Amino acid sequence: MCNVSNQELILRLYDVKKKKGGDGNRDSSIFDNKQLHEDLMAIRLWRLEHKNYTLDNKVDIKVYWGKSDSSKNITVLAYGNQLWIKGFQVGGGKPVYFDNLNYERDTKTFSLNPYEAWKYLDTLVEKNDAKSSREEYLMCTFLTSEMVRNEMLECIFLNCPKTMKERWVDYKLIYQNWKSTANAIDKLLKKEQEIPSNYIETITKENLEQIWSDFSKNNDKDNPECWRQYWENSVRGFSPQVLDIYYNFLQSDVK
């Protein structure tokens, strides 16, 4: 097993220049979806390989953003294979902890897209404190934990779709019901093993699409009530609000 104190994961939110125009002199910047996806997949693989990590095990996630040749960065402090976010660090400075911050308190409804993320990361570096950094905390948690553990959220973040809601608050139920959803997916796909208490599977686009395919064979896929009943038959008492979010995602064109 790797030395925990030396373990560092990387997440890059870069722009890349893309030539446009016939004269070859004009450049446009586009977000580097491929780089971020590769980094997210690497972190997902790390989680899978470190199922034994508990909240006593610290792991650093280095987040870079901006232009790839002159990027800014912070270190997000996470714990356990579930990546519970505790704080951050700027350069070689002292760790700053997000004490007493959680998802329950009210927050502004900022958008989940790369350039909004840049803005909040910039603000966090400038403040270098956690007393007034609630929204920055939420963005850090989305980038380095929630989006890692749920590929649906990656699709939404990278596509900024008009067909789906893209505000942070629209997905709070998804964050709060990650474990129960992952367990429900296992049951729907008839996996034999329950999710170990120390490791919760990534909610993958592949599994969601498989469930959608199975559902569509014998049900009216345009009827959300059928969708809710399909889950209810396998997993009693599952939140209909959570199911509606997944239903809208699978009906959209962002996959």
Side-chain angles (χ1 to χ4, degrees), residues 15-109:
D15 249 4
V16 292
K17 287 184 177 180
K18 183 178 181 181
K19 291 284 187 181
K20 70 174 184 179
D23 56 10
N25 294 321
R26 291 184 298 161
D27 289 340
S28 64
S29 292
I30 58 173
F31 187 74
D32 193 345
N33 288 13
K34 183 175 182 291
Q35 181 65 74
L36 180 59
H37 175 69
E38 289 177 355
D39 290 344
L40 287 169
M41 292 303 291
I43 298 175
R44 289 166 185 149
L45 178 61
W46 177 90
R47 287 190 63 240
L48 187 62
E49 293 175 343
H50 294 80
K51 292 183 179 180
N52 60 328
Y53 267 34
T54 68
L55 291 179
D56 294 327
N57 299 118
K58 174 176 170 290
V59 57
D60 294 337
I61 304 176
K62 200 70 169 285
V63 180
Y64 295 86
W65 69 97
K67 305 298 181 183
S68 59
D69 57 351
S70 58
S71 60
K72 304 174 185 178
N73 67 82
I74 62 170
T75 300
V76 176
L77 311 177
Y79 289 81
N81 65 58
Q82 298 183 23
L83 301 177
W84 300 118
I85 306 305
K86 299 290 187 179
F88 69 99
Q89 192 172 8
V90 178
K94 294 182 179 179
V96 179
Y97 293 98
F98 294 118
D99 295 329
N100 300 318
L101 294 181
N102 55 55
Y103 286 169
E104 297 301 328
R105 291 168 47 192
D106 291 336
T107 183
K108 293 179 182 178
T109 54

Side-chain angles (χ1 to χ4, degrees), residues 127-227:
K127 288 181 178 178
N128 198 16
D129 73 73
K131 292 180 180 178
S132 58
S133 300
R134 172 162 174 71
E135 292 188 15
E136 290 80 2
Y137 155 74
L138 293 172
M139 183 62 81
C140 280
T141 303
F142 176 84
L143 294 171
T144 56
S145 182
E146 301 294 0
M147 187 167 60
V148 170
R149 302 181 310 190
N150 191 336
E151 281 193 90
M152 183 193 82
L153 296 174
E154 176 191 348
C155 292
I156 291 165
F157 183 78
L158 292 180
N159 287 284
C160 303
K162 295 180 180 179
T163 53
M164 287 284 291
K165 296 176 181 178
E166 59 175 84
R167 300 178 304 163
W168 180 90
V169 71
D170 293 320
Y171 298 99
K172 187 164 75 169
L173 279 172
I174 294 295
Y175 312 152
Q176 293 171 324
N177 289 273
W178 164 53
K179 182 175 182 178
S180 60
T181 303
N183 197 12
I185 288 171
D186 265 5
K187 290 181 179 179
L188 283 168
L189 295 179
K190 296 180 171 56
K191 294 186 178 182
E192 295 182 0
Q193 297 294 326
E194 288 287 331
I195 297 172
S197 59
N198 197 45
Y199 175 77
I200 303 171
E201 289 184 315
T202 297
I203 295 173
T204 67
K205 186 173 63 171
E206 179 182 5
N207 282 348
L208 288 174
E209 289 176 343
Q210 181 60 57
I211 289 172
W212 182 255
S213 176
D214 294 345
F215 161 75
S216 300
K217 289 175 183 176
N218 300 305
N219 297 276
D220 179 4
K221 66 180 181 180
D222 294 319
N223 186 342
E225 188 56 41
C226 288
W227 171 252

